[in-house]
């Protein structure tokens, strides 16, 4: 599915395993949101991913693709919710956090 001559890079995090249960903590809420997001994307809500995109959906299957899985990386700097989104703590490790950008941005140069 890749276009000849194009270069592809897929970056995905593995911070969150989807699960359904109590939502009495931020971590449990994050896992529940991940489950609801992962289920329609890959058919398995209990997958690992960045909290929004499961790993198996975020990586193109082609030998021309450079794949980067970032340990502990989350999708966004906030937790989406039906109402107002919940801002993540300042030390939240997500794709746009400065120290996380250092792990993937260099391959774009």
């Amino acid at each position: 599915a890749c276009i000849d001559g194009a270069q592809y890079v897929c970056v995905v995090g593995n911070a969150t395993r989807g699960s359904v249960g109590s939502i009495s903590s931020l971590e449990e809420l994050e896992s529940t949101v991940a489950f609801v997001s992962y289920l329609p994307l890959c058919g398995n809500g209990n997958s690992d991913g960045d909290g929004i995109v499961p790993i198996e959906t975020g990586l193109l299957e082609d030998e021309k693709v450079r794949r980067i899985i970032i340990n502990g990386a989350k999708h966004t700097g906030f937790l989406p919710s039906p109402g107002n989104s919940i801002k993540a703590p300042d030390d939240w490790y997500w794709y746009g956090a400065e120290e996380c950008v250092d792990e993937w941005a260099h391959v774009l140069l």
Side-chain angles (χ1 to χ4, degrees):
C2 292
I3 298 170
D4 286 337
Q7 295 180 357
Y8 294 85
V9 177
C10 294
V11 179
V12 67
N14 67 356
T16 307
R17 173 164 290 155
S19 68
V20 176
S22 169
I23 55 171
S24 59
S25 71
L26 181 59
E27 183 177 325
E28 291 168 339
L29 177 59
E30 182 183 11
S31 292
T32 300
V33 169
F35 182 94
V36 171
S37 181
Y38 298 167
L39 185 60
L41 292 173
C42 72
N44 181 3
N46 295 308
S47 294
D48 291 323
D50 63 16
I52 302 297
V53 178
I55 291 172
E56 58 264 39
T57 304
L59 300 175
L60 292 173
E61 294 295 327
D62 192 293
E63 70 270 359
K64 299 175 190 172
V65 176
R66 179 153 183 196
R67 295 171 194 87
I68 301 171
I69 299 174
I70 301 176
N71 288 327
K74 300 173 190 285
H75 192 85
T76 66
F78 61 90
L79 187 61
S81 68
N84 292 330
S85 293
I86 301 165
K87 184 183 179 312
D90 290 336
D91 62 349
W92 196 262
Y93 193 68
W94 69 288
Y95 299 128
E98 186 174 336
E99 57 277 1
C100 188
V101 169
D102 292 341
E103 291 195 48
W104 60 265
H106 66 280
V107 301
L108 303 177
L109 304 174

